[in-house]
Amino acid sequence: MDALQLRKQLIEYTAELFSEGFLDEQFTQLQQLQDETNPNFVVEVVSLFFQDSERLLNELAKSLSQQEIDFKKIDAYVHQLKGSSSSVGAHRVQRSCISFRDFCNAKNIEGCLECLQKVKQEYSLIKDKLETFFDLEQRLSATGGSPPLP
Amino acid sequence: MGIDAGMWKLAGSSSSSSTCRRFHASSLGGSSGEVKALVVDDSRINQMLHHKLLDNLGVENLVVCNGKEAVDIHVSGKQFDLILMDIDMPVMNGIEATRKLRDMGIRSVITGISSHTLDHVKQEFIAAGIDEYHEKPLTSAKLLSILNKIKHKD
């Protein structure tokens, strides 16, 4: 695939990520912050998001499997995940955290367990999609093509 | 790929971009000297984001991981025009850190940055002494409005 086709594919794929609500304006903000002094800024921030999210999802699964559920602790983890997903523009992950917090406040275990599955699902989706996005960017760069402006 | 936690010094002068303008208080019509900022946040993502936002505006900035480090750095004699303060942090949260800094006589502009939407939390933060509150995530536009307030303060 030549640079022009890759560029077109990247533009279309990015538009899809926004129109389907996977990403929001904050992701554009990240892209606009990237410059020649830090050309991997977006990848670095998103990598941190992946690390943080996986840690938090593990902690949530552990906490929800305890005999005595500490809803305050679970709420704190969800708050962190909501914050980091919001900072990178992972809109659907952020939205699923909002409902999760509501169930925490209501001390509803079933609701929390359902929400955990939902958050995991949304996280898995955005992780795949961002990895595809970065792969397209990398392939475009390898052909000497210039990335579209955010 | 990892970022070292803990204190980093990330000066705006390290930027090699020719388009990066140094953000002088004097260029805003205030007193001479560069604007210096302190980022106080335990989230590595927000540390990177806020540092980069400030760096791109040519604002020299330091990053610390919690409220205690923010207090300690002032005790060591460093001063800042702007402090971007998160709320929820280990060791010492942003509300307590703000209270301590104000008790120490620190008059820097302290901007509370958090994803808390609860009114009582915001009220507690304001009562502790922040100058204003912004919800995360911080954007370039929000940061510019904060820096403009420093101009008017000078």
Side-chain angles (χ1 to χ4, degrees), chain B residues 11 15 18 24 31 37 39 43 46 70 74 78 85-86 98 104 108 113-114 117 121-122 139-140:
Chain B
S15 168
S18 58
H24 289 262
S31 56
V39 176
S43 156
N46 289 323
H74 282 86
K78 287 205 163 31
M85 184 77 78
D86 184 25
T98 300
M104 283 164 63
S108 313
I113 314 277
S114 178
T117 51
V121 175
K122 281 189 219 173
T139 61
S140 300

Side-chain angles (χ1 to χ4, degrees), chain A residues 3-104:
Chain A
L4 211 58
Q5 284 173 311
L6 272 169
R7 198 166 192 273
K8 183 168 181 282
Q9 191 179 358
L10 180 58
I11 291 171
E12 284 170 359
Y13 190 69
T14 308
E16 215 177 273
L17 292 180
F18 280 89
S19 66
E20 290 177 7
F22 287 103
L23 294 176
D24 63 27
E25 171 61 25
Q26 180 59 20
F27 188 78
T28 309
Q29 293 275 334
L30 291 188
Q31 291 178 299
Q32 288 172 346
L33 285 174
Q34 186 161 291
D35 57 21
E36 62 272 19
T37 64
N38 198 339
N40 299 314
F41 179 73
V42 180
V43 169
E44 287 174 12
V45 173
V46 170
S47 296
L48 284 178
F49 167 65
F50 289 161
Q51 285 172 36
D52 276 3
S53 300
E54 277 156 33
R55 175 185 60 84
L56 288 166
L57 289 170
N58 283 337
E59 294 292 350
L60 281 165
K62 223 189 301 177
S63 300
L64 280 167
S65 68
Q66 301 299 310
Q67 287 271 55
E68 293 267 337
I69 306 277
D70 185 345
F71 285 101
K72 205 173 166 193
K73 195 173 173 183
I74 290 168
D75 184 62
Y77 287 137
V78 179
H79 175 71
Q80 284 180 58
L81 184 56
K82 177 173 165 276
S84 59
S85 57
S86 154
S87 293
V88 302
H91 187 71
R92 282 165 57 155
V93 175
Q94 184 203 350
R95 289 287 300 270
S96 59
C97 288
I98 294 171
S99 337
F100 201 154
R101 294 196 77 189
D102 290 341
F103 282 114
C104 285

Side-chain angles (χ1 to χ4, degrees), chain B residues 64-130:
Chain B
V64 296
C65 298
N66 58 60
K68 184 176 184 302
E69 287 183 9
V71 169
D72 289 348
I73 205 168
H74 282 86
V75 168
S76 76
K78 287 205 163 31
Q79 290 184 13
F80 303 90
D81 303 285
L82 170 65
I83 301 170
L84 298 179
M85 184 77 78
D86 184 25
I87 292 182
D88 292 322
M89 294 178 285
V91 186
M92 186 188 292
N93 67 37
I95 293 172
E96 198 188 335
T98 300
R99 221 173 265 136
K100 281 201 177 339
L101 290 171
R102 291 306 191 210
D103 286 347
M104 283 164 63
I106 302 299
R107 293 287 157 250
S108 313
V109 169
I110 302 180
T111 297
I113 314 277
S114 178
S115 48
H116 269 287
T117 51
L118 298 168
D119 277 342
H120 75 89
V121 175
K122 281 189 219 173
Q123 289 311 317
E124 208 184 332
F125 213 359
I126 291 166
I130 57 170

Side-chain angles (χ1 to χ4, degrees), chain B residues 15-30:
Chain B
S15 168
S16 59
S17 167
S18 58
T19 61
C20 179
R21 287 181 300 115
R22 194 155 273 298
F23 200 81
H24 289 262
S26 57
S27 71
L28 298 173

Side-chain angles (χ1 to χ4, degrees), chain A residues 63 101 108 126 133:
Chain A
S63 300
R101 294 196 77 189
N108 182 329
I126 191 62
F133 173 85

